[in-house]
Amino acid sequence: MIAGTAFAQENPVNNYKYVIVPRKFEFFKEPNKYNLNELTKMVFEKYGFTVFFADEKLPDELALDRCKALYGDLDNDSGLLATNVYILLKDCSGQVVYKSEKGNSKIKDYKKAYYEALREASASMASLNYKYNGTGSVSTKAMVVEEVKFKPLPDAAATTTPATVTPVVNDNQLFAQPIANGYQLVDMTPKVVLKMYKTSQPDNFTAQGEGKNGVVFKKGNEWFFEYYKDDKLVSEKLNIKF
């Protein structure tokens, strides 16, 4: 019993309030096949998570930092004689932090088989004893936005001085590959050099890669990656091909 209590306290899933579910699973060609995506969303809601589809408007704290969420998915291990699925929770780097017990069905009707397998897999989630601990994700450095109130000086209006920007041009050709919640940028090697996560604003992404955390945005017809390095704001021009 003591060991069980310790596991509940250390369970990394409890560090996350949100789960994001895709509209389409990779093993199907069409969105929400057999209504599985809707049902998977309902499973996570049943166990206490706040759940969004990847294309929904997100709360500001989550739109600014997608790593505050876990990403729900199904692992389809079906064969000719049985339908087998696992429920997965991954962090923003793609690491699996939870995998359910296998859900199994031998029903020949695919729709009914996936329903039964998902229901069986979801039953094992009760052992998670999920309860959000209020600390937020521990897998990434969150981008924190604080509201600061200033008292105006007598007979003077408060002014804001823009940060000094260091421009950098990155001539390397980068290729954007879709991922569940945005894009990953791959160079000619190929190597993933940056991951971009969608926000509520089009052409604006939070981004992480190679020790840098910042934002990627489109200005005119050009893309820029802005981040801080040695307490200095760097604006890096990117050559992205979508």
Side-chain angles (χ1 to χ4, degrees), residues 14-221:
N14 291 334
N15 295 318
Y16 297 85
K17 179 180 180 181
Y18 303 106
V19 170
I20 295 177
V21 176
R23 289 283 187 182
K24 181 179 79 69
F25 293 123
E26 289 187 1
F27 52 88
F28 285 133
K29 293 183 179 180
E30 60 187 79
N32 203 29
K33 181 77 170 179
Y34 304 134
N35 208 34
L36 275 185
N37 298 73
E38 291 277 358
L39 291 172
T40 302
K41 181 174 182 286
M42 291 171 63
V43 167
F44 290 123
E45 289 173 337
K46 174 184 176 181
Y47 288 102
F49 293 96
T50 301
V51 191
F52 297 93
F53 281 119
D55 57 357
E56 283 188 285
K57 181 175 174 58
L58 304 176
D60 289 343
E61 65 168 338
L62 183 54
L64 286 169
D65 184 7
R66 288 289 186 112
C67 288
K68 285 184 177 293
L70 290 172
Y71 293 84
D73 201 358
L74 294 186
D75 180 11
N76 187 5
D77 190 31
S78 299
L80 292 175
L81 301 178
T83 298
N84 304 313
V85 297
Y86 298 88
I87 298 172
L88 304 179
L89 284 170
K90 304 176 183 178
D91 64 19
C92 64
S93 66
Q95 290 290 111
V96 175
V97 298
Y98 171 77
K99 184 174 184 177
S100 73
E101 298 293 328
K102 180 170 69 175
N104 172 270
S105 176
K106 294 185 178 180
I107 299 175
K108 293 183 179 180
D109 181 283
Y110 283 127
K111 183 175 182 179
K112 292 179 180 179
Y114 276 110
Y115 281 10
E116 182 176 62
L118 179 63
R119 183 169 61 250
E120 188 174 303
S122 68
S124 66
M125 288 187 64
S127 63
L128 265 176
N129 295 317
Y130 168 73
K131 186 175 182 181
Y132 177 52
N133 59 24
T135 63
S137 164
V138 295
S139 66
T140 182
K141 294 180 180 179
M143 297 173 62
V144 180
V145 179
E146 298 181 352
E147 180 183 356
V148 182
K149 296 182 179 180
F150 295 94
K151 293 183 179 180
L153 295 173
D155 301 321
T159 60
T160 302
T161 303
T164 301
V165 178
T166 303
V168 175
V169 177
N170 187 342
D171 291 325
N172 294 331
Q173 179 68 67
L174 301 176
F175 301 89
Q177 298 177 341
I179 55 178
N181 47 352
Y183 297 92
Q184 61 182 18
L185 301 184
V186 180
D187 63 16
M188 299 289 289
T189 310
K191 181 182 74 172
V192 176
V193 297
L194 196 67
K195 288 192 175 183
M196 300 161 44
Y197 302 101
K198 296 177 182 177
T199 70
S200 60
Q201 301 299 316
D203 295 336
N204 282 268
F205 302 83
T206 59
Q208 294 178 316
E210 299 183 329
K212 304 171 185 175
N213 295 298
V215 293
V216 172
F217 60 92
K218 190 175 184 182
K219 185 177 181 181
N221 293 319

